[in-house]
Structures are given as structure tokens and as C-alpha cells.
Amino acid sequence: MAVCARLCGVGPVRGCRRRGAQRKGTSGDSSEPDTDPEEGGGCDGGGGGGEEASEDEAREERIEGPTPRRAPLSLLELPPELLVQIFGSLPGPDLPSLARVCTAFHRLLRTDTIWRRRCKEEYGVCENLRKLEITGVSCRDVYAKLLHRYRHILGLWQPDIGPYGGLLNVVVDGLFIIGWMYLPPHDPHVDDPMRFKPLFRIHLMERKSATVECMYGHKGPHSGHIQIVKRDEFSTKCNQTDHHRMSGGRQEEFRTWLREEWGRTLEDIFHEHMQELILMKFIYTSQYDNCLTYRRIYLPPQSPDDLIEPGLFKGTYGSHGLEIVMLSFHGKKAKGTKITGDPNIPAGQQTVEIDLAHPIRLPDIESLSNFSELSRIVLEVEERVRREQQQQQQEEEGVQGEKGQEEVLQPGAAVPEGDGAEAPEEEEGAVAAQTPSPCPFVLPGGIASRNEDYPRTCRACFYGTGLIAGHGFTSPERTPGVFVLFDNDRFGFIWLELQSFSLYSRIKVSFQNAEAPSQDAFDEMLKNIQLLTS
């Protein structure tokens, strides 16, 4: 408390006996020097001698001139404009505690300059906040009742829309907090930019509290509600769902949705199965009326050893159209997790898994165009991986002996004496396959692709597995395939059993407040969103 009193100037300024004696000798004050018992009685070590020190200081003052003006002993002795600069550099959540220290601090912390700086530095608000004075709303109100209150919903979220999922980005946009739903481009143009539309917004129209508005539908903003369930989960509710209805009824709503979602009319889609899937999605998603629960998702952490930069990609999924996939790296494995999904493989499931320890050396272009040749190569690698997994399981159970430990260099086959030098050559080949040396690439005959405009050169290929299932995520199984790395922003996957090809392109959007706190937190997030649809 003594230290706090000295800083704030709200109590007696305690000093040592030497300082008290100096004040007595120079100002003629006859009061007793203020000493702090916890400081051992002052600077004289508790042995007296104050009068002798005072005489010595008087002689020094006559010789050297008057003593310079002392430094401020309290923050309150600083100019108010300097205190405003100091307080404005402190984190906003700490300022309420500072305001309780004393009346002077409380009065200074109502200065809008301080809160204008916190709004800009912590939330990126670059608007001219002085305009708010016209409405009677202060920068302090904006910070406390809008930005700080709703800070937990900033970032990336996945809505709980059954198997379809989605990608919501909540950002500070001017003097609003807006939830933007990000949509893939129209099928099959994976290289086109993402589309987005607002689902809700929050702003401060008066000093009392922030206003939540639903932006769903085509009749403008209307009353809504947001409930923060917990730190990583919140829900939205529309209070006026009649604003979502159109004068032409459900048919007009469907035609409008179809143009926005697919960029075409139902008559333009000749595939009957695709028409059924589109109708099913409209009926399922429209029933929510923007009353949704959202769960936080993180962008994958990046490591120097990653094959490419991890992140979000948009990819082709046959009759289901374009979907959003998150590519992340986990040691010798890479995973593609669905952020949006479909009735077969719902959002949250791991659509592809890449085994970076097993590169595939593709044949020449003439042989590659033969699907049977590519299938033979991939199935050989699959058998090798199966043997390795079986051997690893035996070792974990303690069945395998020294012979098994030697065979780990050459899984599934004994290594004759003198042939051990071949193992390093195989390892070097694996490393070389990961280096960015483009080689010609062409899809084998018989492989279906939604997008024929895929790159004709690739940097590397790896063995992988893709998840396939029946409608309603029935009988899911992992089947072999080929992961094809084209460049840092594009990759593909060949599904052998389906004889189809998916092309993925990076989503080039700078998302804020989406970094994972740690690798463990990211792994936990992946596990949670997968369990929700399992």
C-alpha cells in the first residue's frame, strides 16, 4: 500500500530520514520526518547522525549551488496529457481496475482519446470515431459495450447445419461487428474467389446497449439475438423470420437460392441425381431460418517442415459441387478435413489422408494415361503400407524380435546381407520426390473430372486414402488414391475406386483472430468437429 500511495499521490509520501532531514533543514519545517518502519528506519542505518548529515548537505549546497528540482514522486504530479498517453498504451481490459485506484484516475479514464486508441490498436477500428459524439455515443461505449463485450465471437466458426456445415467469419467492420458466411465459387471454377454474404451484424446506436440485427433474407436488416453459450460456442436467433419470406412463395425462394448457390437454373442441370441433391440441400438448410449454433474452428498451425503452407482450400466433389477443405500437417501425415460437407461425407469428417512417408513415382506420360498402370502402382504401395502397419502392430505387442527390427528398413521383405545400402537410396528418393521439380502430369483415361483446366505439371505425388460412404454417411471406408501436388496453392486427389479426380485451390483470404493457441488445441478442435458428425 505504501508503494501504491507513493505512485498515485493519494497518501503520505514516505521517505527516508535523510530526505526528511533535508526538508527540515531547507524549508524550516519543524515536523517530525516521515519514516517507514518496514524500511529499516531510513538511510542512516538506524544509528542516528541526522543533524551531522544535514550540516554536511548545507556545506555542499553553499559550495555547489542550490539542489536541482526533485523528480515527481507521484503519477498525479505528471501533466494530464502525459497521463492520457500512458493510460492509452495500456490494454483496455486493465483500465477499469486502474480507474478504481483514485478519483483522479477515474476522471482521466473517461477521456475519449484513450478509448479511441484502444479501439484502433486492439480491434483495428480506423473510422473517425469523433462522429459518434453527434449520437451521444462515446469511444468508451464502443469499446465496452460493443467490441469488448462481443470479443469472444470474433474469428472463424462452423455452423451446425447437419451434414452441410459452413464457414462463418466474424470481424470488426468499421463501427459494426459482422458475421460473413463464406461460400465457394460456382462449380466447377475452383480458382475463382470466394463469395460471401452477411448473416448478422451488431452495432451501437445508443448508449444503453448494442443492437443485434439479422441480415438473412432479402428485406434488409431486422431484429435478431446472439447468445454466447461459452467461449468457443455461440448461437444466433432471428426475431422476425417473416422477413425471410418472399412474395412468390417457396418457388421464388428456391429460384433465388439456386442462382446464388449454383449460379444457374434447375433446368440447366441435366443430371437427375444432382437435381435431387440440390433440392435436398435447399429444403434442409432453409428450415433453420438463421437460427444456428456455431462452434469455433482454428486455422492449422504452420511448421517449417510442412510440404506446403496449410490452410483452407476449395475443391470439386462431383455432383455435390464445390466444398471447403482444411489441409493440415501432422508429422508424416497430412489431413484434409471438410469444413462444408454433403449427405455422403458430412462436414467435420476427414475426406483425405496423405502418407508423406510414401511418395509415388509416376510413370511417363504414355504409361500414365493408362488407368490400369496407375492402379497397379498405387495398389503395390498400399500393400507395402499394409505390411508396415502390420509389422508395427506386432512390434508394439512385443511379438517381433531382433529380426523384425532389422526388417523395418525394408518392410515386408527380408534384407539380404550386403544389400543394406539400398535403404538410403530409397530414402533419398523420397526426399527428392518432395523437392519442387515440376514433371509432366496428365489424368489417366477413364478418370472423371469436374474441371478439365487442371495444371499439366506437378511437383510431387504421394500415396493417400480417401473417405467414401453411402447416403447418410453409411458404411464409410477409406480407399486408396493419389495425392498430386501441383504448387503451393493447388493440389489434387485421384480416387481410384470412384475413378474420379478432385482439384483443390487455396482460399486466399486473410482471416483474423483464427490462429490456434497451440498444436494440441488445434488437434482437439479437429477431433471435436469430427465427433459431431460421426
Side-chain angles (χ1 to χ4, degrees):
M1 292 301 295
V3 175
C4 183
R6 286 199 295 273
L7 285 175
C8 305
V10 295
V13 180
R14 298 185 179 273
C16 61
R17 292 182 180 179
R18 182 183 182 92
R19 187 185 303 121
Q22 180 179 352
R23 287 200 298 270
K24 180 178 179 180
T26 56
S27 62
D29 188 325
S30 59
S31 62
E32 184 178 355
D34 187 7
T35 60
D36 190 344
E38 298 178 0
E39 294 179 359
C43 298
D44 59 359
E51 294 181 1
E52 295 178 11
S54 180
E55 294 174 1
D56 291 341
E57 291 170 359
R59 276 197 300 271
E60 291 175 4
E61 185 173 342
R62 288 194 297 271
I63 296 173
E64 300 178 2
T67 305
R69 184 178 180 182
R70 67 176 179 82
L73 299 177
S74 166
L75 284 177
L76 287 177
E77 296 183 41
L78 296 175
E81 58 271 17
L82 183 56
L83 285 177
V84 168
Q85 289 294 323
I86 294 173
F87 293 168
S89 64
L90 300 176
D94 294 342
L95 296 181
S97 299
L98 187 61
R100 290 193 291 268
V101 170
C102 63
T103 304
F105 281 12
H106 180 79
R107 185 171 57 252
L108 274 173
L109 284 168
R110 300 190 73 86
T111 306
D112 247 20
T113 305
I114 296 173
W115 299 100
R116 187 179 301 116
R117 180 176 176 183
R118 300 323 313 146
C119 289
K120 181 177 181 180
E121 293 185 0
E122 294 183 22
Y123 297 100
V125 178
C126 298
E127 299 291 319
N128 184 2
L129 297 178
R130 290 187 175 88
K131 296 179 180 178
L132 291 173
E133 298 175 359
I134 302 175
T135 62
V137 178
S138 66
C139 296
R140 183 173 179 270
D141 292 330
V142 172
Y143 185 93
K145 299 177 181 179
L146 177 66
L147 302 177
H148 185 70
R149 179 182 177 184
Y150 290 98
R151 67 193 184 280
H152 292 312
I153 71 170
L154 299 177
L156 288 179
W157 303 84
Q158 185 182 52
D160 184 8
I161 314 180
Y164 297 103
L167 180 65
L168 180 81
N169 185 27
V170 183
V171 299
V172 176
D173 190 345
L175 298 178
F176 295 86
I177 291 178
I178 303 181
W180 296 98
M181 180 67 82
Y182 275 74
L183 306 171
H186 294 140
D187 180 47
H189 308 293
V190 293
D191 288 329
D192 287 356
M194 295 286 287
R195 300 173 295 124
F196 48 91
K197 63 179 182 180
L199 291 191
F200 63 84
R201 71 180 185 182
I202 315 169
H203 57 118
L204 203 63
M205 297 296 292
E206 53 186 16
R207 298 190 62 182
K208 293 182 180 179
S209 61
T211 300
V212 177
E213 294 178 328
C214 176
M215 305 291 289
Y216 191 75
H218 302 272
K219 295 183 180 180
H222 46 282
S223 176
H225 175 72
I226 287 181
Q227 180 182 4
I228 301 177
V229 181
K230 51 187 178 182
R231 187 181 183 89
D232 294 328
E233 183 177 324
F234 77 96
S235 61
T236 58
K237 180 182 178 181
C238 177
N239 297 330
Q240 296 175 286
T241 55
D242 56 300
H243 280 63
H244 305 167
R245 308 282 80 86
M246 303 185 74
S247 58
R250 295 289 279 177
Q251 290 186 356
E252 183 182 357
E253 292 173 13
F254 173 66
R255 286 194 295 267
T256 302
W257 176 86
L258 191 60
R259 287 195 301 269
E260 294 177 351
E261 186 83 8
W262 295 86
R264 63 181 82 176
T265 64
L266 194 62
E267 291 74 17
D268 296 333
I269 303 172
F270 300 105
H271 199 291
E272 185 177 347
H273 179 61
M274 192 172 183
Q275 290 180 346
E276 294 175 356
L277 292 173
I278 291 173
L279 283 168
M280 185 186 307
K281 184 174 183 179
F282 170 75
I283 295 171
Y284 192 96
T285 57
S286 60
Q287 66 180 334
Y288 284 90
D289 269 332
N290 207 25
C291 299
L292 298 168
T293 298
Y294 297 86
R295 295 177 178 85
R296 184 181 296 279
I297 58 176
Y298 298 116
L299 293 177
Q302 186 174 1
S303 168
D305 298 329
D306 293 344
L307 185 65
I308 60 172
E309 180 184 353
L312 297 172
F313 292 76
K314 43 196 185 292
T316 55
Y317 277 88
S319 299
H320 298 294
L322 297 189
E323 298 184 10
I324 300 174
V325 171
M326 177 183 290
L327 179 68
S328 58
F329 292 91
H330 310 261
K332 290 294 184 181
K333 299 284 186 181
K335 299 178 181 180
T337 304
K338 280 195 171 187
I339 303 301
T340 62
D342 53 67
N344 290 77
I345 307 297
Q349 293 299 316
Q350 185 180 310
T351 176
V352 294
E353 181 178 274
I354 302 99
D355 191 343
L356 301 175
H358 291 86
I360 291 179
R361 191 181 299 277
L362 296 178
D364 54 50
I365 292 296
E366 293 183 359
S367 300
L368 181 60
S369 60
N370 185 346
F371 175 77
S372 299
E373 178 64 16
L374 177 64
S375 179
R376 181 190 64 80
I377 294 173
V378 175
L379 293 179
E380 286 180 356
V381 178
E382 180 189 31
E383 177 63 21
R384 191 193 322 158
V385 170
R386 187 190 65 79
R387 291 179 179 177
E388 288 181 7
Q389 292 174 345
Q390 183 180 10
Q391 181 177 342
Q392 183 180 1
Q393 183 178 2
Q394 291 175 347
E395 290 177 354
E396 291 175 354
E397 294 173 353
V399 176
Q400 194 77 356
E402 293 182 0
K403 179 181 178 181
Q405 295 177 356
E406 294 173 357
E407 290 178 356
V408 79
L409 295 174
Q410 196 76 5
V415 181
E417 269 186 38
D419 291 347
E422 294 181 0
E425 293 178 3
E426 182 179 348
E427 186 175 347
E428 290 175 3
V431 175
Q434 298 183 35
T435 57
S437 53
C439 60
F441 175 81
V442 64
L443 281 176
I447 296 291
S449 174
R450 298 286 296 175
N451 195 327
E452 296 296 333
D453 189 24
Y454 61 86
R456 293 311 194 262
T457 60
C458 67
R459 284 169 42 184
C461 295
F462 295 90
Y463 170 77
T465 58
L467 184 63
I468 62 175
H471 187 85
F473 196 41
T474 55
S475 305
E477 61 174 323
R478 306 208 69 87
T479 60
V482 181
F483 171 84
V484 184
L485 176 62
F486 296 114
D487 50 48
N488 190 60
D489 295 328
R490 289 177 297 180
F491 66 88
F493 192 83
I494 301 175
W495 309 73
L496 285 188
E497 184 165 331
L498 301 179
Q499 293 191 20
S500 65
F501 174 73
S502 294
L503 178 64
Y504 301 82
S505 179
R506 183 181 300 278
I507 297 176
K508 298 179 181 179
V509 177
S510 297
F511 295 107
Q512 304 295 322
N513 304 296
E515 296 77 16
S518 64
Q519 182 66 49
D520 290 341
F522 177 78
D523 293 339
E524 183 71 16
M525 180 272 299
L526 283 186
K527 182 174 69 173
N528 289 338
I529 65 174
Q530 184 174 4
L531 288 174
L532 290 172
T533 55
S534 294

